[in-house]
Amino acid sequence: MKPDLTICGVSELESLLVGRDPPPGTITHIVSLWDPPVQDASRWEIDEHLNLFGRVLPSAPVLALFFDDIANPVEGLTEPGIDHMRQVLSFAREALKDHGDDTHLLVHCRMGISRSTACALAILAHANPEIPARDLVFHILSIRPWVAPNLSLTQFADEILERDDPLLPAVRSLRNGTMSR
């Protein structure tokens, strides 16, 4: 199933990019999802990782987005929005146009469980509209065995992609433990 995807959390980035599998050279694009920087320490961490991308993968374009991992409004936090998902899908569309079958996206968020998996699922759904949502979710599970795709981002992907087989029911089934092969 195309494109190739690597999904991870922030703590895995350095070991992944410095000599581990897959070789960094195979990654063509990076979707970097962060909590909004609220203090100098978080800004420093973000800058450090964006600089790492530039050193290790200098030719890989990076889409950096900033929003919290929430599915419902919480005062003081930044909700994911439909424009975030539009940006992810547009970025993926350009990656596929530029690299075709050789496209390999690295998608990361804080833990590699919710925002990144929702975005990776949306990218797969966009690139493989004929594949059932359930099979796409199982493919994400084959890449990253612990996932809980963000429900808001998944709903936004459904609104944008207008699939006959929407992603949200499959994600809800996964999250509530009723999904089976």
Side-chain angles (χ1 to χ4, degrees):
M1 193 174 308
K2 295 294 180 183
D4 289 333
L5 295 167
T6 297
I7 304 167
C8 68
V10 170
S11 66
E12 301 160 84
L13 282 171
E14 191 163 346
S15 64
L16 176 78
L17 294 175
V18 182
R20 297 266 176 127
D21 191 32
T26 66
I27 294 170
T28 61
H29 293 72
I30 301 166
V31 177
S32 186
L33 307 170
W34 296 93
D35 299 328
V38 294
Q39 53 189 336
D40 289 341
S42 59
R43 285 186 185 93
W44 176 84
E45 180 184 32
I46 293 166
D47 288 345
E48 281 296 305
H49 285 93
L50 293 177
N51 288 335
L52 174 67
F53 298 151
R55 285 192 317 273
V56 177
L57 299 166
S59 64
V62 178
L63 173 65
L65 298 174
F66 301 88
F67 55 89
D68 289 292
D69 185 16
I70 56 175
N72 297 303
V74 176
E75 188 174 331
L77 297 181
T78 304
E79 294 175 67
I82 196 165
D83 285 338
H84 293 121
M85 183 54 71
R86 281 191 184 108
Q87 290 177 58
V88 168
L89 292 172
S90 176
F91 186 75
R93 196 170 12 266
E94 287 300 311
L96 289 161
K97 187 174 94 179
D98 292 347
H99 292 277
D101 285 347
D102 294 330
T103 303
H104 185 152
L105 290 110
L106 166 63
V107 185
H108 87 84
C109 62
R110 167 71 52 206
M111 300 300 293
I113 294 172
S114 183
R115 289 171 286 186
S116 58
T117 60
C119 289
L121 179 62
I123 291 166
L124 279 180
H126 165 70
N128 303 279
E130 73 289 353
I131 296 179
R134 192 172 162 282
D135 293 345
L136 295 171
V137 170
F138 278 119
H139 186 72
I140 293 295
L141 282 166
S142 75
I143 297 168
R144 185 95 174 151
W146 54 94
V147 304
N150 181 285
L151 296 175
S152 293
L153 288 169
T154 304
Q155 180 176 336
F156 296 143
D158 280 342
E159 291 173 21
I160 294 165
L161 297 173
E162 299 179 328
R163 291 171 47 95
D164 291 334
D165 180 21
L167 302 169
L168 193 56
V171 167
R172 282 201 169 117
S173 179
L174 169 73
R175 289 179 65 115
N176 68 24
T178 60
M179 179 176 272
S180 62
R181 277 223 179 249

